[in-house]
Amino acid sequence: MSKVKYYYDSDTLSYKKIERKKGRRFGIVLLSIFGSFLAGFLLLLVYLNIPQIETPKEKALKRELQNMQLQYGLLNKKMDQIQNVLGNIEDRDNNIYRLYFEANPIPEETRKAGFGGINRYRDLEGFDNSKLIKETTKRMDVLTKQLVVQSKSLDEIAELAKEKEDLLAAIPAIQPVKNENLTRIASGYGWRTDPFTKVRKFHYGMDFTSPRGTPVYATGDGRVIRADNHSTGYGNHIRIDHGYGYTSLYAHLYKYNVRRGQKVKRGDLIGFVGSTGRSEAPHLHYEVYKDDEHINPINFYYGNLSPEEFDEVLRKSQQENQSLD
């Protein structure tokens, strides 16, 4: 309840009640409301133009956010560098390594395939830097998948290289008798005159004339599958299975230096030149098979002959003369 106020009237020498006018009261209310709005507006202007005072916790969070943005930027630059290096490796992998080892190139869509299906990045949404975080995470996932694909490819290449190395070591690639121990190449691969019947007959190997006891060497890595004299005409002979479909035969030996089942390396001493079996004089009869079919041994002497020596052996082997077996 508002207080009642009085004033002293000197004319009547009495106190009279002060009566408030309604219009005046309304004006005071309006003035108060206007004053409040004006004060609020002035305070808002001051708030917007004066720098806000940050709490220590807000400052720490702001620094942490700036550091995170910086780290994501650096991470994306590193991923750019890794992507360039990986791209060069992928290019060499497809166009050099896999081509050399006769392997099919890896399709581009397999190397750079994305991730379909459900939204795997839903948990990264709803933040101030969600776009930056999502794009970086996607790049990292795709890059990781490319690295996995490339790693598996290099494992495959390494296995192919090992097989290639084993193949190159297994192929009969040297002359079974050293040049310094040769008297001559008596006969090569092709039609020759049989020394006993004097009939023209196909000669399936090469005859190396050497003194009895001359060392005979394995022409490639493999396993001895025969070392006996149970094949007609060959006398004491050795057969080596080199794998990959290759077999070599060494006939008319004086004696063996290996036994059946023994593993040998290219260049190992396996026997000695003789004249056993159907032979006219001491010599080594040498044959090479591929998938059980005779092939010309002259094509496999690249391992220990110079180009000039190979040309000379080729010339002598092509002369149609009389064989020694």
Side-chain angles (χ1 to χ4, degrees), residues 68-116:
M68 183 205 73
Q69 292 172 334
L70 175 62
Q71 293 302 322
Y72 269 88
L74 294 174
L75 179 60
N76 274 281
K77 288 184 179 179
K78 289 181 180 179
M79 283 195 290
D80 288 338
Q81 296 173 349
I82 294 173
Q83 188 68 61
N84 289 333
V85 174
L86 182 58
N88 291 332
I89 295 175
E90 290 174 344
D91 183 65
R92 291 198 298 270
D93 184 31
N94 271 354
N95 299 313
I96 299 178
Y97 308 145
R98 302 184 74 82
L99 186 64
Y100 176 77
F101 293 109
E102 300 176 351
N104 292 326
I106 298 176
E108 193 71 9
E109 56 270 21
T110 301
R111 289 185 181 275
K112 298 184 178 179
F115 299 89

Side-chain angles (χ1 to χ4, degrees), residues 281-292:
H283 74 286
L284 173 70
H285 175 79
Y286 175 64
E287 296 180 6
V288 176
Y289 301 79
K290 178 67 168 72
D291 297 327
D292 296 325

Side-chain angles (χ1 to χ4, degrees), residues 230-241:
H230 302 321
S231 288
T232 304
Y234 288 132
N236 296 333
H237 73 288
I238 294 170
R239 297 177 194 254
I240 298 177
D241 181 3

Side-chain angles (χ1 to χ4, degrees), residues 10 40-41 44 65 74 90 107 139 142 147-148 229 256 277 294:
S10 60
F41 179 72
L44 179 62
L65 177 60
L74 294 174
E90 290 174 344
R139 286 194 66 190
V142 172
L147 288 171
V148 170
N229 60 358
Y256 315 111
H294 284 94

